[in-house]
Amino acid sequence: MSRSDSKSSPIEKAAAFIVDRRKAFYLIYIILIIFSLFSSTWVSVDNNITDYLADETETRRGLTLMEDEFITYATAEVMIDNISYNEAEKLKAELEKINGVKEIAFDNTSKHYVDASALFSVTFTGTADDEISACALSDIEAQTADYDTYISAELGNSNADRIAREMNIVMLIACVIILTVLLLSSRTYMEIPVMILTFGAAALLNKGTNYMFGTISFISNSIAVVLQLALAIDYAIILCHRYTEERQTKEAREAVIAALAKAIPEISGSCLTTLSGLAAMGFMQFKIGMDMSVVLIKAIVISILTVFTLMPGLLMSFSSLIDKTHHRNFIPKIDIWNNMVVKLRFITPWIFGILVIFGFFLSGRCPYAYSYTNLTTITKNESQIAKEKINDTFSTQNILAVMVPSGDYQSEQELKRELEAYPEVDTVTGLASVEAIDGYSVGDKLSPREFSELTDIDIELVRLIYSAYAADNKSYGKIVGGIDDYRIALLDLFDFIYSVTEDGYVTLTSEQQDNLDELHEQITDGKHQLESDKHTRLVLNLNIPEESEETFAFLNVVRDTAKKYYGDDVLLAGNSTSDYDLSATFGRDNLIISILSILFVLIVLFFTFRSAGIPFILILVIQGSIWINFSFPTLQSEPLFFMSYLVVSSIQMGANIDYAIVITNRYTELRRKMNKYEAIKKSLSLAFPTIFTSGSILASAGFAIGLLSSDAAISSIGICLGRGTLISIVLVMGILPQLLVLCDFIIEKTSFNLKDIREELHEHIMTGGETNNEEI
């Protein structure tokens, strides 16, 4: 270094320590990477988006109750095309013999057979996570392989495995794109491997440290690595460019130290806006925002740390190779663009203003979707193709669960009859209404005489059973007042008879015992699915869309009907209630993210430029790009997954504004030396390589995710992020320079220096207040 270490600043001493101890840092990173390779397998991925609903939402409470108190068996829809009805019946009988298949619903109605197409509704003996269900599905696929078959089922980790395969392809393509862009924008060939090693380490460390959160969402798990590379590649480019500049006049060690010392504050300031945008997501009521926020913030922080502590050593170790691999600049000159921007400064800002106004109104009318039902993706997996084929051939099913207190079978039956009367309801399934024998339902109450005639059990034995049941339930008045008038629900009576026969108090004939055992098995199975000690579950099959205003209104009708019998102790759960709860939280989350992301970025810009005017110009450009971006779904009349707006708007505000900062920084520096026109032209030329590199990588990564992912949420985020980044680049390179030139006098008048203000205030105080306010 040109001066002694004693005269070095703290940041230069830290830089020298990192460079001189690079081998120790290599060892630390090797150990951490090996650990991360193992710890990455400890991360649990949640594939259910409804798990991130706020705890107080009805859907979350309903789903929790069902998970705790009921068994929900796995199901699958198997459609066989070009098959006769008789052949379909034979195939159904064969499939029912498969181990793990509980039952198959199939009949000669439009729900199961249409135009030589058969639809088997399969219920497995295990839940969606049980291996027996997955094995049974595999056997079904094998047995129907010779048919024209379409199978729709979500079992085990099939969705997670599919997304992982798709994202591996996205990652591969993103790496090719990044390498291509870096090759064009780099100054030496050898700096590319240095950056790859740096960000490879950062990606592995981020993935490996996700285990600290226990469980992360499938969205965060899928896109975090790609976004980490796309959002943080700037930091490595800044350090590389600084090193190349310093190497022209210094030895390798001194050049790396000087480059790192200068890059640390520059990179730290650059990342603040990105972190601010990501932090805004953490305030969402929909908890997936917090999940993505912490994962991506950690990714950015780890990327910064690897650039600060690993990359300097790599630059030093490969300095000789870097020196030998310089190449010409592949980035083209943009003088024509610069001249055009200056010439059109009085025209295009007005066009931008009109587009922003229209974008504001059109984005406000964006057709948001809260489920995957109405969404399409460019890439489709086999399950999606099958589901679309089934929905096109047969009517779609919309299942709604209604949970009410258990024990009152009469109210349950009356509620079922009232719900079935609504035209929006096809069927209602409830335990109390399940047929037991000879037209009686298990919830019907029978007298001893009626039960004796129904089961052919001696009346005296039945009376004895009824008396024992009354005594067991401490209903002694029934015994004294006359047992013949005592009425007991079949469900409770069968359970009691089974228990007393098991204990040996009652002996039945072998035929009666066999019938009782079979009936008890059926009732027990039904109870597991439909009744617990605390609640009963009624399952409604609705004939209305999963997501619509009509459906949301009917949810209130169902809820109000159930409340007539059970008061406020009613919970609804299903895809429609989930969509309703998500739509209810979206308005608040949208407002929170919009306000906080702008506020956080404003604060960062305010202290970055020490100006009151510049932040508002930059915010206007980026917020304008956000509004224009989300006017496209309105113009195309295509539904947009609601989360795409929340995630992309925060990332676009936090990350894309860096492009505006690059140009504005250059302009404010050059404006002190030249006129505003020459300053803006020079600024665009100097900023273009950085914006081209970062912007093209982020946009390409977004489009790669959007085009190659079959998951509607992930694909939608990718498409919006790619499109939004391109719009931001065009506006930053075209409109922002014109606004800076046109508002040059405002920028000058609203700029300040905190140090100067403090000094003038101090002088004002020391002189006893003689300095007037205008001077300050």
Side-chain angles (χ1 to χ4, degrees):
M1 297 179 67
S2 59
R3 56 180 178 170
S4 64
D5 288 343
S6 61
K7 296 181 180 179
S8 299
S9 66
I11 197 169
E12 288 173 327
K13 291 179 180 179
F17 176 83
I18 292 170
V19 173
D20 293 337
R21 302 291 187 275
R22 58 187 177 278
K23 291 183 180 180
F25 280 103
Y26 291 164
L27 179 61
I28 292 172
Y29 273 98
I30 290 172
I31 294 172
L32 291 176
I33 288 171
I34 294 173
F35 173 78
S36 296
L37 291 174
F38 289 98
S39 62
S40 61
T41 62
W42 305 341
V43 182
S44 176
V45 179
D46 192 334
N47 296 294
N48 191 352
I49 199 170
T50 58
D51 289 343
Y52 293 91
L53 284 166
D55 293 336
E56 63 270 16
T57 59
E58 183 178 28
T59 300
R60 182 66 267 149
R61 291 185 291 128
L63 291 174
T64 301
L65 187 151
M66 288 197 296
E67 291 169 3
D68 293 342
E69 299 186 21
F70 301 102
I71 292 178
T72 302
Y73 293 112
T75 60
E77 290 181 317
V78 180
M79 175 179 163
I80 308 294
D81 219 354
N82 302 313
I83 187 172
S84 68
Y85 181 77
N86 290 335
E87 190 178 1
E89 279 193 315
K90 293 178 183 178
L91 180 59
K92 174 206 170 189
E94 294 175 3
L95 296 179
E96 283 182 322
K97 297 176 183 178
I98 293 176
N99 182 41
V101 173
K102 183 178 181 63
E103 60 180 357
I104 298 178
F106 175 74
D107 54 40
N108 195 13
T109 65
S110 59
K111 290 184 178 180
H112 293 285
Y113 191 79
V114 174
D115 298 332
S117 295
L119 180 64
F120 301 135
S121 298
V122 182
T123 301
F124 299 100
T125 57
T127 64
D129 295 327
D130 290 343
E131 186 178 354
I132 191 171
S133 302
C135 292
L137 181 63
S138 179
D139 291 340
I140 290 175
E141 291 172 345
Q143 198 153 333
T144 58
D146 295 334
Y147 294 90
D148 191 1
T149 308
Y150 301 89
I151 300 178
S152 176
E154 293 293 343
L155 301 180
N157 295 319
S158 58
N159 187 49
D161 295 339
R162 182 171 59 248
I163 292 175
R165 289 193 299 270
E166 293 172 352
M167 294 312 296
N168 286 337
I169 298 174
V170 171
M171 192 64 194
L172 179 62
I173 293 175
C175 288
V176 172
I177 294 171
I178 290 172
L179 284 174
T180 303
V181 173
L182 291 179
L183 179 63
L184 293 173
S185 61
S186 64
R187 301 177 184 181
T188 67
Y189 291 117
M190 194 57 206
E191 69 184 49
I192 297 177
V194 169
M195 285 191 276
I196 291 173
L197 288 172
T198 301
F199 274 96
L204 287 173
L205 291 179
N206 185 53
K207 196 170 183 64
T209 52
N210 282 335
Y211 83 93
M212 296 187 301
F213 304 129
T215 300
I216 63 174
S217 72
F218 69 99
I219 297 177
S220 299
N221 186 62
S222 301
I223 65 177
V225 174
V226 179
L227 289 184
Q228 179 184 9
L229 291 176
L231 291 172
I233 196 72
D234 280 357
Y235 312 144
I237 294 173
I238 289 172
L239 182 56
C240 272
H241 287 181
R242 284 289 187 183
Y243 169 74
T244 305
E245 293 171 3
E246 296 294 334
R247 187 70 179 92
Q248 294 175 4
T249 59
K250 297 181 177 70
E251 292 298 321
R253 176 181 178 275
E254 285 70 26
V256 176
I257 293 171
L260 180 59
K262 293 178 180 179
I264 286 176
E266 185 177 353
I267 293 172
S268 301
S270 175
C271 78
L272 284 178
T273 53
T274 302
L275 294 177
S276 297
L278 297 176
M281 288 195 297
F283 291 87
M284 288 167 55
Q285 187 176 3
F286 187 36
K287 294 180 180 179
I288 206 163
M290 175 60 76
D291 179 85
M292 294 189 67
S293 177
V294 296
V295 171
L296 289 175
I297 285 175
K298 177 169 65 68
I300 299 300
V301 171
I302 288 176
S303 297
I304 294 171
L305 291 177
T306 54
V307 169
F308 287 166
T309 59
L310 176 62
M311 192 173 181
L314 294 175
L315 289 172
M316 182 66 195
S317 297
F318 293 105
S319 59
S320 60
L321 290 174
I322 292 174
D323 292 341
K324 297 175 183 178
T325 56
H326 280 271
H327 61 75
R328 68 182 182 86
N329 187 5
F330 297 116
I331 300 294
K333 301 291 184 181
I334 58 169
D335 295 336
I336 296 176
W337 174 268
N338 297 343
N339 293 328
M340 184 176 66
V341 167
V342 172
K343 288 180 180 180
L344 296 177
R345 65 188 181 278
F346 295 114
I347 300 175
T348 49
W350 291 103
I351 298 175
F352 168 69
I354 295 172
L355 289 176
V356 168
I357 293 172
F358 275 101
F360 173 76
F361 286 105
L362 290 174
S363 63
R365 289 162 175 75
C366 188
Y368 294 109
Y370 302 94
S371 69
Y372 287 7
T373 305
N374 299 320
L375 299 176
T376 59
T377 56
I378 296 172
T379 297
K380 299 182 186 298
N381 57 58
E382 291 182 2
S383 181
Q384 285 176 311
I385 295 172
K387 188 66 176 176
E388 289 180 4
K389 180 69 173 178
I390 292 171
N391 289 343
D392 290 341
T393 308
F394 298 92
S395 58
T396 59
Q397 287 190 333
N398 184 6
I399 305 300
L400 177 67
V402 181
M403 276 77 68
V404 296
S406 60
D408 188 348
Y409 299 127
Q410 182 175 352
S411 294
E412 183 182 335
Q413 289 177 325
E414 291 176 1
L415 174 59
K416 177 181 180 292
R417 283 191 289 270
E418 190 167 349
L419 291 174
E420 285 177 327
Y422 291 116
E424 294 87 353
V425 179
D426 279 343
T427 61
V428 179
T429 302
L431 183 62
S433 300
V434 173
E435 185 176 347
I437 185 173
D438 290 349
Y440 285 101
S441 298
V442 295
D444 292 340
K445 293 184 177 181
L446 275 68
S447 66
R449 176 67 62 183
E450 291 170 332
F451 184 76
S452 174
E453 294 173 353
L454 181 67
T455 58
D456 290 331
I457 300 177
D458 182 72
I459 183 64
E460 294 302 325
L461 179 57
V462 171
R463 286 173 177 151
L464 180 62
I465 292 172
Y466 268 61
S467 298
Y469 180 89
D472 190 62
N473 286 272
K474 297 181 174 54
S475 299
Y476 304 110
K478 298 293 184 181
I479 302 175
V480 177
I483 202 67
D484 286 338
D485 295 327
Y486 190 20
R487 307 183 74 85
I488 304 173
L490 274 176
L491 183 63
D492 296 333
L493 194 55
F494 280 133
D495 277 346
F496 181 73
I497 293 175
Y498 185 81
S499 66
V500 296
T501 55
E502 283 284 290
D503 294 338
Y505 294 116
V506 175
T507 303
L508 302 177
T509 65
S510 59
E511 181 180 356
Q512 290 172 336
Q513 187 64 51
D514 289 342
N515 291 336
L516 181 62
D517 290 342
E518 182 180 353
L519 187 58
H520 179 264
E521 183 179 349
Q522 294 175 355
I523 290 175
T524 301
D525 183 60
K527 276 191 169 185
H528 288 159
Q529 297 179 69
L530 299 172
E531 186 181 60
S532 69
D533 293 337
K534 298 178 181 179
H535 292 91
T536 290
R537 175 167 63 172
L538 285 83
V539 180
L540 283 64
N541 192 340
L542 307 181
N543 55 33
I544 51 180
E546 178 184 313
E547 180 184 344
S548 69
E549 292 299 325
E550 174 194 6
T551 304
F552 293 163
F554 185 67
L555 294 178
N556 291 325
V557 173
V558 173
R559 190 180 294 105
D560 292 340
T561 303
K563 284 182 177 180
K564 291 193 299 185
Y565 299 93
Y566 296 98
D568 292 332
D569 197 358
V570 175
L571 280 176
L572 308 185
N575 290 339
S576 291
T577 61
S578 172
D579 299 343
Y580 177 79
D581 286 336
L582 289 172
S583 67
T585 61
F586 173 70
R588 174 193 175 276
D589 287 345
N590 184 17
L591 182 63
I592 287 292
I593 280 195
S594 298
I595 293 175
L596 291 182
S597 59
I598 291 175
L599 181 61
F600 291 162
V601 172
L602 266 178
I603 294 173
V604 173
L605 295 177
F606 184 78
F607 287 102
T608 298
F609 292 104
R610 294 185 293 276
S611 168
I614 288 178
F616 290 98
I617 297 174
L618 271 57
I619 290 290
L620 173 63
V621 172
I622 300 301
Q623 185 61 54
S625 72
I626 293 173
W627 286 331
I628 294 172
N629 183 19
F630 289 102
S631 65
F632 277 79
T634 306
L635 294 172
Q636 296 169 344
S637 297
E638 292 183 357
L640 174 72
F641 194 54
F642 77 102
M643 199 171 63
S644 302
Y645 184 91
L646 299 175
V647 173
V648 174
S649 61
S650 60
I651 293 178
Q652 198 172 340
M653 175 59 71
N656 290 173
I657 205 163
D658 277 353
Y659 313 152
I661 292 174
V662 170
I663 291 178
T664 308
N665 260 329
R666 293 288 188 178
Y667 177 74
T668 54
E669 291 174 6
L670 294 172
R671 185 65 183 91
R672 303 188 187 102
K673 307 172 185 176
M674 57 187 72
N675 66 57
K676 58 186 179 182
Y677 304 115
E678 294 303 318
I680 201 62
K681 290 179 182 179
K682 185 71 172 176
S683 298
L684 286 172
S685 295
L686 292 173
F688 177 66
T690 302
I691 295 174
F692 167 78
T693 304
S694 177
S696 58
I697 289 174
L698 184 56
S700 300
F703 283 125
I705 293 171
L707 296 175
L708 298 175
S709 176
S710 62
D711 184 89
I714 295 173
S715 175
S716 181
I717 289 174
I719 291 292
C720 291
L721 183 59
R723 185 178 60 221
T725 301
L726 287 182
I727 294 171
S728 297
I729 292 173
V730 171
L731 295 183
V732 165
M733 289 294 297
I735 301 301
L736 176 62
Q738 295 171 337
L739 294 178
L740 291 174
V741 170
L742 293 174
C743 300
D744 184 77
F745 72 98
I746 297 177
I747 295 173
E748 183 180 354
K749 294 294 184 182
T750 58
S751 297
F752 59 87
N753 189 301
L754 293 177
K755 182 179 178 181
D756 293 342
I757 290 177
R758 286 195 299 268
E759 290 175 352
E760 290 192 29
L761 284 174
H762 177 72
E763 181 182 353
H764 175 68
I765 294 171
M766 295 302 293
T767 57
E770 294 178 1
T771 307
N772 60 40
N773 291 333
E774 291 182 0
E775 290 174 337
I776 295 177

